[in-house]
Amino acid sequence: MRIIFLGTPAFAVPSLKILVENGYEIVAVITAEDKAAGRGQRIAISDVKKYALEAGLKVLQPRRMNDPAFLDEVKSLHADLQIVVAFRMMPEALWSMPPLGTFNLHGSLLPQYRGAAPINRAIMNGETKTGLTTFFLKHEIDTGLIIYRKEVPIGPEDTAGDLHDRMMEEGALLVLETVRAIEKNAI
């Protein structure tokens, strides 16, 4: 199975890493463009790009997701599946490309906390549990067909950082479980 992985921050790295470690063919990684950051305005690259380069993976960093040249390049990779973890909105022309679809890992028990910052919002609202969801993308944000959900408890002393780090690792396991199910046509 040929996979394209889309992600940018540290939260996405364990999901990419577990796929590589389990022998999945990652034909490309799509991540945010490099940008100037900090006082010295040094060029910073995303955590996902850092790992992808270490692993010897092809990295794509489009300025515009709907650029015809970029979409042609993605199409030429003949991916069977795309996986999104902590990435931006994408045009349908991109997420509808692979025959097995595109799925996303989201940091909540959808439909709860759709959109940005679900981990922070769960902590701010005093939730005692949250979770992770994998689902196939469709037009409306975080509304596609749910594949798997996994509950994650929130302790009384948990910070958003604590929860983020636990969910980052649990999310990688859920991504692997989802890929295996899709591969076996068992979802």
Side-chain angles (χ1 to χ4, degrees):
M1 180 163 39
R2 297 172 60 83
I3 297 172
I4 293 176
F5 186 90
L6 301 94
T8 297
F11 188 85
V13 173
S15 294
L16 176 56
K17 187 175 182 183
I18 202 168
L19 294 170
V20 170
E21 290 173 349
N22 280 274
Y24 284 97
E25 184 180 4
I26 309 299
V27 296
V29 171
I30 300 173
T31 192
E33 290 185 288
D34 301 343
K35 60 184 173 193
R39 290 177 128 191
Q41 292 294 291
R42 292 193 177 142
I43 298 299
I45 65 174
S46 75
D47 290 316
V48 165
K49 181 178 179 180
K50 286 176 194 167
Y51 174 76
L53 292 174
E54 289 169 13
L57 301 173
K58 177 183 182 80
V59 175
L60 302 175
Q61 296 178 275
R63 181 175 304 260
R64 290 181 18 254
M65 301 292 284
N66 57 1
D67 180 318
F70 167 68
L71 292 172
D72 286 345
E73 183 174 10
V74 171
K75 186 178 275 190
S76 76
L77 296 171
H78 303 288
D80 300 301
L81 178 69
Q82 290 179 151
I83 301 167
V84 180
V85 180
F87 197 62
R88 63 188 194 204
M89 294 271 303
M90 303 181 315
E92 183 176 356
L94 179 59
W95 60 257
S96 66
M97 229 180 256
L100 296 177
T102 298
F103 80 83
N104 185 30
L105 172 69
H106 187 74
S108 78
L109 293 173
L110 290 176
Q112 189 177 34
Y113 297 117
R114 286 186 173 125
I119 295 171
N120 299 61
R121 292 187 326 192
I123 292 284
M124 290 183 333
N125 290 338
E127 303 286 354
T128 58
K129 70 176 180 179
T130 187
L132 297 147
T133 304
T134 54
F135 66 95
F136 284 110
L137 292 188
K138 68 178 229 180
H139 292 284
E140 298 80 21
I141 191 165
D142 299 337
T143 60
L145 296 174
I146 291 174
I147 305 167
Y148 288 120
R149 295 170 78 209
K150 178 177 180 33
E151 272 191 20
V152 176
I154 302 174
E157 303 300 316
D158 276 341
T159 65
D162 298 331
L163 189 55
H164 170 279
D165 293 350
R166 272 201 333 272
M167 290 177 68
M168 179 170 68
E169 299 303 327
E170 290 289 328
L173 296 172
L174 192 60
V175 164
L176 181 61
E177 181 181 354
T178 303
V179 170
R180 287 178 171 163
I182 290 170
E183 188 175 37
K184 295 175 185 169
N185 198 25
I187 57 166

